[in-house]
Amino acid sequence: MSVARLKQAAKESVSGLPREFWWLWTSTLVNRLGGFVATFLAMYLTVDRGYSAMFAGLVGALHGLGGAVSAVVAGVLTDRLGRRPTLLVSQVSTAVTVAVLGFVQDPVAIAVVTCLVGMTSNASRPAVQAMIADIVRPEDRVRAFALNYWAINLGFAVSAAAAGLIASHGYLTLFLGDAGMTLLCAVIVFAKVPESRPERGGAAAGGGGGDGDGDGAMDALEPEVGLGSVLRDRRFMAVVGLSYLVATLIQQAFVALPVAMGAQGLSSTDYGIAIATNGALIVAVQIPVTRFLEHRDPAPLLMASALLIGGGFGLTAFAGSVGMYTVAVTVWTLGEIINSPTQMGLVARLSPTHARGRYQGMYSLSWSLASLTAPLVGGAVMDRFGSDALWASSAVVGVVAAGGYAALGRAMRNRPEAGGSGGEGSGSVVDTGAGAELGGEVGAAAEGEVSAGGGAGAVGVAAGSGAAGASGGGARAVGAGPVAG
């Protein structure tokens, strides 16, 4: 590809997005640049403090438990109180709890404060994702979510490499640096990011124009959607279940992987180099890969992503050096690059306008539950059977997830959905980029709207024979719009 074409592709990737999005993007980048603690917590507990892998797993699980609780609560608050207040409270409280974690010494106190850190930090996810869906036009949402995911990993790549070096001089600096950067995020949001929650029958306050998709007239007709409605949305919950399986694998990179490397005599700097490959690779190829995946059948892509993620962690069993660990990280990162934007876009597609917070919260819950269970299982397996057994099991989970995506793909091709309340229009549900609308709405989506994330909506459609809005609230997609972790 010529330099001129690369410049044109880069321009198309960033143009046309509202100013509010870029301030939110900046806040995300700053947050991830200071995201030291979650990445190095397991190594801090085992190497610096001398606790066992089981204790590190327990603490990691409590972090996930806090996140699981806040995912649901923050999702509701995002819809009821607004995106901006939820985001500000989350960021300020995260800064406080992370700073406190750096000073506590008692193991019980460490466990309790870590749970609070998980609770406060995860509360921002539903608000950020709902806000992006509010302020960005449907035809630009996949690109916006990909750019936000790119910012997350750009910050992660830099912070992981820097944190490994900083940790060698003392972990307290990591905790305080993380707290300071999170507080800076709150300042950016407070000063530059307006509220974006759509008003029924009107435009979004943040300039999103009632989604920007002509839904303003329909907003007043949209039924109230509670958590029960979300749970009864079978297609959406099937996507959440598969997201959980994939997330359990990726979470091993932040608990089991550093513990295994530490047991082999490798340092925090070595782990920082290996795990920084994840963020660096995503930064390098996420945007061009997302453009390449646009308009393609999502089922085989999601199957391939699950196999790559499981296979990459399986390869870790053969790693004994930083170089080999880096190879394993590279393999599962390629799967993550395919999988993550697809599922994030799908959630935005399936979310009713006035229930975006709840739907994003439930999606975040899949990752939080993985954060809860993966460290417990990983630590227990490593202590009892060794790390090789854990990596072999990870490969099996990847195959199971791929099988789930394959089953959804077959249903997607072979069983057209019946029309109805909140359901699909009749006919094939395979969306190859022409943009068949969900929710029984008629009309073609803008060309280029459905990317890897948007096209994945067809996969979610196949999960269960019921309508997208099984309880009336419905998982109605907004236009043909679309999605981190």
Side-chain angles (χ1 to χ4, degrees), residues 296-393:
R296 298 178 184 272
D297 185 355
L301 296 176
L302 292 169
M303 290 168 56
S305 72
L307 291 174
L308 283 170
I309 293 171
F313 280 99
L315 283 176
T316 308
F318 303 98
S321 65
V322 176
M324 281 303 300
Y325 276 110
T326 300
V327 170
V329 170
T330 299
V331 173
W332 61 258
T333 297
L334 293 175
E336 182 185 0
I337 287 170
I338 298 171
N339 187 282
S340 293
T342 299
Q343 296 199 106
M344 287 188 288
L346 176 56
V347 173
R349 283 181 63 109
L350 296 179
S351 303
T353 303
H354 297 284
R356 283 175 180 154
R358 291 173 173 86
Y359 272 70
Q360 295 288 355
M362 192 60 64
Y363 172 71
S364 296
L365 179 62
S366 69
W367 283 86
S368 298
L369 289 177
S371 298
L372 171 62
T373 57
L376 286 175
V377 174
V381 171
M382 291 179 73
D383 279 349
R384 185 167 183 178
F385 303 106
S387 59
D388 287 352
L390 176 63
W391 307 132
S393 300

Side-chain angles (χ1 to χ4, degrees), residues 108-142:
V108 175
I110 290 174
V112 171
V113 176
T114 299
C115 183
L116 292 176
V117 170
M119 184 178 298
T120 55
S121 61
N122 198 55
S124 65
R125 290 186 180 182
V128 170
Q129 293 167 356
M131 185 173 281
I132 292 175
D134 292 338
I135 65 181
V136 176
R137 298 177 303 176
E139 60 268 26
D140 293 329
R141 283 183 192 144
V142 170

Side-chain angles (χ1 to χ4, degrees), residues 393-406:
S393 300
S394 297
V396 173
V397 171
V399 172
V400 171
Y405 286 125

Side-chain angles (χ1 to χ4, degrees), residues 168-209:
S168 64
H169 299 287
Y171 277 91
L172 180 59
T173 307
L174 290 182
F175 290 93
L176 296 180
D178 194 330
M181 296 293 273
T182 305
L183 194 59
L184 178 58
C185 293
V187 173
I188 293 173
V189 171
F190 180 80
K192 296 295 184 179
V193 181
E195 177 59 63
S196 68
R197 182 179 56 171
E199 299 295 337
R200 287 192 172 273

